[in-house]
Amino acid sequence: MTETIAGADWQGWQTSWDRQQEWYLPDREERFRVMLDMVEAVVGPAPRVLDLACGTGSISDRLLRRFPQAESVGVDLDPALLAIAEGYFADEPRVRFTRADLKDPQWRTKLPYDSYDAVLTATALHWLYADDLRTLYGQLATLVRDDGVFMNADHMPDEATPRINAAERALRHARMDEAKAAGAVDWAEWWQLAAADPLLAGPTAERFAIYGEHADGDTPSAHWHAQALRAAGFAEARTVWASPSDALVLALK
């Protein structure tokens, strides 16, 4: 991190978060592109979007650049990532952020709207166990308008193919090791940098008090997600993009 970024450069923190995530997910931008393609296909180019478990607002950033008439509401519990999001989007009237715990049965009451054209999330809900995720999907079915869309891009391995999974994982981790040797910053190192920044030290300490080093959760298959979404009240659900380890599941209300 440069001295400028370590001081108050929210653009720099946003960029550094993206680079850290890309070390784990080299096809991250591709899943975002497909996600926004399907937003346009289903609800058009001027959606009201709930950026669920938004982190630094990565989805909102790409949404607003692609769709000038879009509006986004980001919701998350992490105070450090929300601080970056709020700093980065400080002059952007099309987005607002709300702090809420998705495990709290009343979290929806903190949102500014009762209905959304699209609810989008990426690489976040694996922090929940399956029972909590089923509950959340039922809650989301009440937030997505009729003919609206929900999309979740996350780790969704197929446990029925262990040899394929092992081969993919070995190659992916070999490439990660190469990138690390070339200077890539991983999750733990990124949070050490955040803790050293005077503006993020307090929110980072609060964040670790909430989550610990890393929250536990489940990573069920894309098929499981599609079934759970249909059981929650969505009319249709299926995979619309996949990598060897991840998938993007779309559910239509």
Side-chain angles (χ1 to χ4, degrees):
M1 303 289 288
T2 69
E3 183 177 352
T4 302
I5 293 173
D9 183 359
W10 299 117
Q11 171 68 68
W13 276 113
Q14 183 73 258
T15 299
S16 73
W17 176 259
D18 282 343
R19 298 296 86 78
Q20 179 256 121
Q21 289 288 286
E22 288 165 0
W23 182 66
Y24 297 95
L25 306 166
D27 49 21
R28 186 168 178 254
E29 291 300 326
E30 177 67 8
R31 71 191 68 193
F32 287 151
R33 182 191 66 77
V34 175
M35 179 179 282
L36 296 183
D37 280 352
M38 296 310 299
V39 167
E40 184 173 7
V42 177
V43 298
R48 174 190 293 168
V49 170
L50 180 62
D51 186 351
L52 189 73
C54 64
T56 65
S58 298
I59 291 175
S60 292
D61 189 30
R62 287 147 183 82
L63 173 83
L64 298 180
R65 282 193 270 120
R66 176 160 169 175
F67 303 125
Q69 297 181 65
E71 177 184 6
S72 183
V73 175
V75 60
D76 206 304
L77 181 61
D78 189 313
L81 298 185
L82 281 176
I84 295 171
E86 290 168 350
Y88 178 74
F89 290 98
D91 299 321
E92 176 52 76
R94 296 174 295 165
V95 63
R96 69 184 83 178
F97 294 96
T98 298
R99 185 175 176 185
D101 184 351
L102 298 182
K103 294 182 182 179
D104 178 354
Q106 302 302 315
W107 73 270
R108 288 168 292 174
T109 65
K110 298 183 179 182
L111 300 177
Y113 304 112
D114 296 328
S115 178
Y116 295 84
D117 301 308
V119 177
L120 309 177
T121 189
T123 324
L125 299 189
H126 63 273
W127 288 50
L128 298 177
Y129 286 107
D131 287 344
D132 292 327
L133 193 53
R134 287 191 186 94
T135 298
L136 179 63
Y137 281 170
Q139 294 166 339
L140 295 177
T142 71
L143 287 174
V144 177
R145 68 161 172 84
D146 289 346
D147 298 318
V149 65
F150 166 72
M151 279 182 271
N152 178 16
D154 210 340
H155 309 310
M156 300 183 187
D158 186 342
E159 298 302 330
T161 58
R163 288 190 298 162
I164 295 173
N165 298 349
E168 182 278 328
R169 186 180 186 279
L171 177 61
R172 174 163 43 89
H173 279 263
R175 290 176 173 173
M176 290 170 67
D177 289 345
E178 291 175 1
K180 191 75 164 55
V185 172
D186 66 16
W187 172 268
E189 290 169 331
W190 190 91
W191 282 109
Q192 290 171 2
L193 292 167
D197 187 305
L199 291 175
L200 291 175
T204 297
E206 184 183 358
R207 180 243 179 242
F208 279 95
I210 295 169
Y211 294 110
E213 287 300 317
H214 201 290
D216 294 324
D218 291 329
T219 54
S221 69
H223 178 71
W224 182 97
H225 284 274
Q227 284 190 319
L229 286 161
R230 286 191 290 267
F234 288 89
E236 298 179 10
R238 71 169 177 89
T239 301
V240 293
W241 173 90
S243 75
S245 61
D246 291 20
L248 171 58
V249 171
L250 181 153
L252 187 67
K253 184 71 180 295

